Amino acid sequence: MRGLRYCAATIILILIILLASCNLDNHDSVAEKENITVITSFYTMYEFTKQIAQDQVDVQMLIPPHVTPHDWDPAPKDIRAVQDADLFVYSSEHFETWVPNIDKSLNNSKTRFVHASEGISLLHGDETDGHHEHNHDHAIDPHVWLSPVLAQKQVENIAKALIEIDPNNEPFYAEHRDRYLEQLQKLDEEYRETLRRVTKKEFITQHSAFGYLANEYGLTEIPIAGLSPSLEPSASQLAELKKIAHDHEITTIFFEDLSNPKTAQTLANEIGAEVDVLSSLEGLTKEQQDKEHTYIDIMRLNLKALEKSLK
């Protein structure tokens, strides 16, 4: 009898140890997942990272989606968030101009900085600007994500960094990377097919953000202002733009969804044109957030707007 009790006690003890071991393993795997934190700079970098990582890691966005990155600088809490992250994903120091200063200040941090535009040849503002008389200061045009082809390169760079920091989950990241790349390739095909059929090639924008897109699909962007959306044209520049619009039969002036359309509206009024939105995907409006629009959704809306204006 005593032997039976001893055996029973031993079996119970073994079961307790096994259950405790299972719980510990589960706890460890959750802890490992929660320990990987990725901070992204602005909306598109967040979207690309989230498409690859899904819920496998904690992905956060530094710049609120309704805020224009051009008007944003990191606060101390933002710098701390970067310092505490495993990865910090940004497009380039030519867009997130504050990145080099943070990088220097965190020289002992474990955070790995992921330059999503690495390997992409960036263009000067006057190379993407059909309106050369604006006297650009040869600033670099950072808006590479607006080309679906270059967006694929950024996605590949982000996926590579995720795999390097979390190699155990490489098959998961690779699968979602490839799935998203297929969607971006389809988007590129839609742009090529649609814009091949348009009769006009020139379009006027309020801000020089669409040079890479224009170059990719054989179009010419004519910006009212330069690479800075806050610049306003002089009277002589407006007169020149009126002539260009007349010569190329341009009937739509584009402005960006997070910017004030005042400058675009002024030119439109001068030439009897209408205004329309081309999103630079630097952030999301409240309406876009409410509709849960994605990068691909908004790029398709951009394509529709371009097609309408160029027919």
Side-chain angles (χ1 to χ4, degrees):
M1 197 68 174
R2 185 181 296 172
L4 283 172
R5 281 203 205 106
Y6 179 80
C7 285
T10 304
I11 290 167
I12 290 168
L13 182 60
I14 290 168
L15 286 171
I16 289 169
I17 291 168
L18 285 171
L19 286 169
S21 173
C22 288
N23 287 337
L24 189 62
D25 287 344
N26 287 340
H27 177 74
D28 283 346
S29 79
V30 171
E32 279 176 19
K33 185 187 276 191
E34 288 176 351
N35 278 342
I36 296 178
T37 301
V38 182
I39 298 292
T40 60
S41 54
F42 68 101
Y43 165 71
T44 299
M45 294 301 100
Y46 171 84
E47 168 86 357
F48 289 172
T49 306
K50 192 72 176 170
Q51 288 288 343
I52 304 159
Q54 300 292 309
D55 294 326
Q56 195 69 28
V57 301
D58 180 17
V59 184
Q60 300 172 24
M61 189 176 0
L62 209 55
I63 303 173
H66 61 280
V67 173
T68 305
H70 294 275
D71 302 330
W72 188 89
D73 282 307
K77 68 178 177 61
D78 302 310
I79 297 171
R80 281 195 301 274
V82 172
Q83 185 173 21
D84 292 339
D86 297 287
L87 291 181
F88 170 58
V89 179
Y90 68 103
S91 184
S92 78
E93 68 277 11
H94 301 289
F95 188 67
E96 301 96 322
T97 53
W98 37 267
V99 165
N101 289 335
I102 292 184
D103 199 4
K104 279 182 205 162
S105 68
L106 303 184
N107 55 8
N108 293 321
S109 170
K110 67 182 175 70
T111 310
R112 175 176 169 183
F113 280 52
V114 182
H115 176 201
S117 297
E118 187 175 1
I120 296 173
S121 296
L122 301 183
L123 301 173
H124 288 98
D126 58 356
E127 291 181 74
T128 63
D129 181 356
H131 188 43
H132 294 282
E133 293 80 359
H134 275 188
N135 297 320
H136 285 314
D137 61 356
H138 299 284
I140 297 294
D141 183 352
H143 303 88
V144 295
W145 60 89
L146 289 166
S147 157
V149 174
L150 298 180
Q152 291 172 54
K153 177 63 177 171
Q154 291 194 306
V155 167
E156 288 169 356
N157 285 338
I158 296 166
K160 181 183 174 189
L162 281 165
I163 289 167
E164 285 174 357
I165 202 167
D166 187 17
N168 290 339
N169 285 307
E170 178 174 359
F172 180 90
Y173 298 134
E175 179 188 348
H176 287 89
R177 173 201 63 202
D178 293 347
R179 191 178 298 170
Y180 193 52
L181 288 174
E182 282 180 18
Q183 294 176 44
L184 292 173
Q185 286 158 10
K186 185 180 177 190
L187 179 68
D188 170 44
E189 289 164 9
E190 289 173 23
Y191 264 80
R192 286 187 195 287
E193 183 60 32
T194 301
L195 297 176
R196 193 182 291 128
R197 298 193 303 263
V198 298
T199 51
K200 293 185 278 188
K201 299 296 180 184
E202 298 80 12
F203 63 103
I204 293 180
T205 59
Q206 182 165 289
H207 161 215
S208 180
F210 301 91
Y212 292 95
L213 184 151
N215 281 7
E216 193 66 57
Y217 302 110
L219 305 178
T220 300
E221 178 189 26
I222 304 166
I224 299 174
L227 290 167
S228 169
S230 59
L231 290 176
E232 292 199 13
S234 65
S236 63
Q237 286 170 337
L238 270 178
E240 186 185 352
L241 283 162
K242 281 170 65 176
K243 183 177 185 307
I244 290 171
H246 180 266
D247 291 346
H248 294 288
E249 299 180 337
I250 293 171
T251 56
T252 303
I253 311 298
F254 289 107
F255 68 95
E256 292 168 46
D257 37 17
L258 291 179
S259 65
N260 186 327
K262 176 184 160 191
T263 305
Q265 191 66 65
T266 299
L267 178 60
N269 291 343
E270 290 275 339
I271 64 174
E274 61 179 25
V275 293
D276 201 357
V277 170
L278 272 187
S279 174
S280 62
L281 281 146
E282 296 170 6
L284 296 177
T285 64
K286 186 177 183 306
E287 182 185 3
Q288 288 165 343
Q289 291 176 68
D290 290 344
K291 290 182 177 178
E292 297 184 347
H293 277 169
T294 65
Y295 168 89
I296 289 177
D297 293 333
I298 296 169
M299 284 295 287
R300 284 192 171 123
L301 291 173
N302 280 352
L303 178 57
K304 280 184 183 175
L306 280 169
E307 181 186 23
K308 180 184 170 189
S309 75
L310 295 172
K311 274 190 170 177

